Amino acid sequence: MIRILHTADVHLDAPLRSLALRDEGLRAQVEAATRGALTRLVDTALSESVDAVLIAGDLFDGRERSARTAAFLLAELDRLRVAGIRVFYIKGNHDADNPVTGMLDLPDNVHLFGARGGKVDLAEGVWIHGVGFEQRHVPESLLSRFPDPVPGAVNIAMLHTSLAGAPGHDNYAPCRVSELAGMGFDYWALGHVHKREVHATDPWIVMPGCPQGRDIGEAGAKSATLLTIEDSRITVTQVPTALVEFAQTALDISQADSDDALRAALRAHLDAVRAGLDAPTGVLRVTLTGTPPRYWQILRDRDVWQETVVELAAVAGDMWIDRLVFHLSPPEARRDTPGASEELRRTMDEIAGESGFRAAARAEVAAVLEDLPPALRARLAPDDTAVEALTDGLAQTGAAQVLARLKGAEG
Ligand SMILES: [Mn+2]
């Protein structure tokens, strides 16, 4: 029996980003999270007594050029060497960018596949093939550089690739899943895309995902993929890797008819989220949904609830709040009640649709956008339609906040 641990996109020492990092206690913990994930992975390799570890590119983060990063990596690779575990490594676009990778004196248990490609006999008729990046931009397919699979053996191929790509993203060693499937290999050990995906099971085509998410956009449990090869058959399981897990959750609070009830609902929600986390630390973005009877008071007291959720998350155990999002609707009964604030709501609704108001508001938004760095501006409002949507959204939020204060005071 042969066991192999497959990972990619470690992005060693890449910074994690979250609004929760305002908290110094958390900042200290997550600073070393990408390192911690690699350590956890090596721990697993040792405890599972694997025969090899595959790193399918982007071991480094392009911007990280510290010699300390390299020293940390070499120490982890050496733990594997001492245990007799071999490491197969191909460079990805971020590694090719990083001068540290070129100067590394890798321990002798590590095999680096270059851009010309090659194959190595692991053991008992199991071969590892790989083609690596030599420069950051690889716009062409690398498939023709793979040596033929060895007949009668189990053949594993390592490739860093964006596959067929996604609109708006650069192509890296592009290729199609159907092309990979037709090349005669038994397992494709891919890297590059940070979200795990098993594209096929016969042959296996596996994007393991990054072992440690870096922001709320990389939410969810992170893992490495553990292969077991027995009688030429490959089975696959996941082993958790992340030290910090980002999570996006939603809670319907329509039934919460008092502050105590809302508190209890939040506590139960956070306890359930905590129980479902693989990682020792969680960073959450919680969205409140539904039509709570106390809608206006809740909106008025957003800051109070934000603080409450932060406290409850800490009580639930090693969880921090990235953001508390209010995605609530006013209950129907209240909406029909006439009153001064209700009248104001109708008036603001009408004004929001008038062309004069819209033009003035758009001009205000455009002026603010001009003061932003170009990259941020392009992200917030890439075109006129987006500026319009942004303006409408801000007007709605503003009106809702004014009403929340009035209604909160009334109620
Ligand atoms: Mn990459």
Side-chain angles (χ1 to χ4, degrees):
M1 186 176 78
I2 298 283
R3 309 189 82 196
I4 298 171
L5 199 53
H6 166 205
T7 189
D9 302 282
V10 179
H11 288 270
L12 214 45
D13 283 345
L16 271 58
R17 296 178 203 286
S18 164
L19 294 172
L21 297 187
R22 285 170 302 206
D23 187 295
E24 268 177 44
L26 177 63
R27 208 153 60 219
Q29 266 196 57
V30 304
E31 241 163 31
T34 56
R35 290 189 182 200
L38 181 63
T39 299
R40 201 173 171 192
L41 193 123
V42 169
D43 288 345
T44 302
L46 298 176
S47 65
E48 297 282 341
S49 304
V50 302
D51 298 275
V53 173
L54 311 181
I55 304 170
D58 287 357
L59 179 50
F60 290 91
D61 198 56
R63 283 151 299 192
E64 184 45 61
R65 299 171 178 217
S66 144
R68 279 193 207 152
T69 307
F72 170 80
L73 170 68
L74 291 177
E76 292 298 326
L77 293 174
D78 202 59
R79 288 172 65 209
L80 295 171
R81 184 189 63 78
V82 168
I85 297 171
R86 295 168 77 180
V87 177
F88 297 88
Y89 169 41
I90 54 171
K91 288 184 186 179
N93 49 305
H94 282 90
D95 300 324
D97 220 20
N98 187 326
V100 168
T101 47
M103 301 182 298
L104 278 182
D105 192 7
L106 295 165
D108 58 14
N109 60 320
V110 181
H111 183 88
L112 175 67
F113 290 108
R116 290 181 170 187
K119 62 175 188 285
V120 175
D121 188 2
L122 175 62
E124 293 174 33
V126 177
W127 287 80
I128 313 289
H129 305 244
V131 178
F133 280 33
E134 238 153 42
Q135 69 242 349
R136 183 182 174 91
H137 291 287
V138 180
E140 74 281 0
S141 169
L142 296 180
L143 295 188
S144 64
R145 302 190 195 175
F146 276 88
D148 286 336
V150 177
V154 171
N155 289 277
I156 293 168
M158 298 176 67
L159 180 64
H160 196 78
T161 174
S162 56
L163 291 170
H169 287 82
D170 286 344
N171 277 336
Y172 293 104
C175 58
R176 299 189 173 281
V177 167
S178 57
E179 290 178 89
L180 297 179
M183 285 181 65
F185 293 98
D186 300 289
Y187 183 102
W188 279 94
L190 304 181
H192 182 66
V193 179
H194 287 195
K195 191 169 164 44
R196 175 184 162 84
E197 189 164 354
V198 176
H199 290 276
T201 56
D202 185 21
W204 288 99
I205 301 177
V206 177
M207 190 68 79
C210 55
Q212 171 61 60
R214 294 171 303 174
D215 55 42
I216 200 79
E218 296 181 351
K222 300 295 170 190
S223 64
T225 301
L226 181 63
L227 292 70
T228 303
I229 305 170
E230 214 165 6
D231 303 328
S232 300
R233 253 181 57 83
I234 302 175
T235 51
V236 159
T237 55
Q238 290 181 68
V239 292
T241 46
L243 278 208
V244 177
E245 181 170 332
F246 291 92
Q248 302 213 47
T249 69
L251 175 63
D252 188 324
I253 57 167
S254 297
Q255 304 308 316
D257 54 6
S258 68
D259 282 357
D260 282 347
L262 179 50
R263 235 183 120 81
L266 285 168
R267 174 174 293 176
H269 177 69
L270 293 168
D271 284 344
V273 171
R274 172 71 264 178
L277 289 183
D278 271 334
T281 298
V283 174
L284 317 184
R285 182 171 293 180
V286 180
T287 300
L288 300 181
T289 65
T291 53
R294 291 171 52 74
Y295 171 80
W296 299 107
Q297 288 88 344
I298 292 169
L299 275 199
R300 180 195 61 190
D301 299 335
R302 294 155 84 104
D303 52 343
V304 176
W305 288 112
Q306 165 83 32
E307 274 171 37
T308 304
V309 169
V310 167
E311 281 164 24
L312 291 175
V315 171
D318 287 317
M319 293 202 299
W320 273 263
I321 299 299
D322 173 80
R323 250 175 84 192
L324 180 64
V325 180
F326 297 83
H327 204 175
L328 303 170
S329 308
E332 289 298 325
R334 288 297 299 270
R335 200 183 278 171
D336 295 330
T337 312
S341 54
E342 195 49 38
E343 209 166 293
L344 177 63
R345 189 178 75 83
R346 280 197 210 109
T347 310
M348 286 196 293
D349 263 2
E350 278 167 29
I351 292 173
E354 281 173 9
S355 62
F357 168 79
R358 292 172 65 90
R362 260 203 315 277
E364 292 282 343
V365 170
V368 173
L369 286 172
E370 264 174 39
D371 288 338
L372 295 176
L376 188 56
R377 195 190 312 149
R379 217 176 69 203
L380 271 176
D383 53 33
D384 281 353
T385 317
V387 173
E388 199 126 321
L390 186 61
T391 307
D392 289 347
L394 286 170
Q396 273 169 23
T397 308
Q401 281 174 358
V402 168
L403 286 170
R405 294 208 179 167
L406 283 174
K407 297 259 191 180
E410 280 175 6

